[in-house]
Amino acid sequence: MSLLEAAREVRENAYAPYSRFKVGAAVRGRSGTIYKGVNVENVAYPEGTCAEAGAIAAMIAAGETELIEVAVIADSPAPVPPCGGCRQKLAEFGRSDVPVTLATTEGARLDTTIGELLPGRFDVSHMDKC
């Protein structure tokens, strides 16, 4: 199963009763294992969880800390990019050159990288003390 197929499959499990905007995400860990996530809404907006954050949490829960590929899919007119918070989360666990596929359920696709999604990212190098 491809990463995009995994994201498409899991998207159906999203909990989006308020917006009805289901998002599925999948990340591939360094081991090759695919981890999936969906958006989970809450009536007390904005207390929901993004699909990308869910996939990353599944990866971390399994004991991996590096992702090497990302796919995100939604039923929208154009591919939906991760929110700012999820861009930073992806950057925490993936290098700048990690490929990211953004897609729609109708087949539109945008291929990018973590670095292109979050140029000038805040990373561990900013924490080094002189």
Side-chain angles (χ1 to χ4, degrees), residues 26-66:
V27 299
R28 186 181 312 277
R30 170 74 46 208
S31 70
T33 302
I34 294 174
Y35 302 97
K36 303 181 227 178
V38 296
N39 58 318
V40 179
E41 294 180 348
N42 187 301
V43 70
Y45 276 163
E47 295 302 315
T49 304
C50 296
E52 300 89 336
I56 291 168
M59 180 185 75
I60 298 300
E64 288 205 60
T65 58
E66 183 181 2

Side-chain angles (χ1 to χ4, degrees), residues 3 5 14 23 31 41 45 49 57 62 92 101 113-114 118 122:
L3 202 62
E5 288 170 341
V23 180
S31 70
E41 294 180 348
Y45 276 163
T49 304
E92 179 72 19
T101 301
T113 65
I114 289 176
L118 190 62
F122 181 79

Side-chain angles (χ1 to χ4, degrees), residues 88 91-92 118-130:
Q88 185 65 48
E92 179 72 19
L118 190 62
R121 74 191 210 178
F122 181 79
D123 64 24
V124 70
S125 70
H126 295 100
M127 303 296 288
D128 289 344
K129 296 186 182 205
C130 299

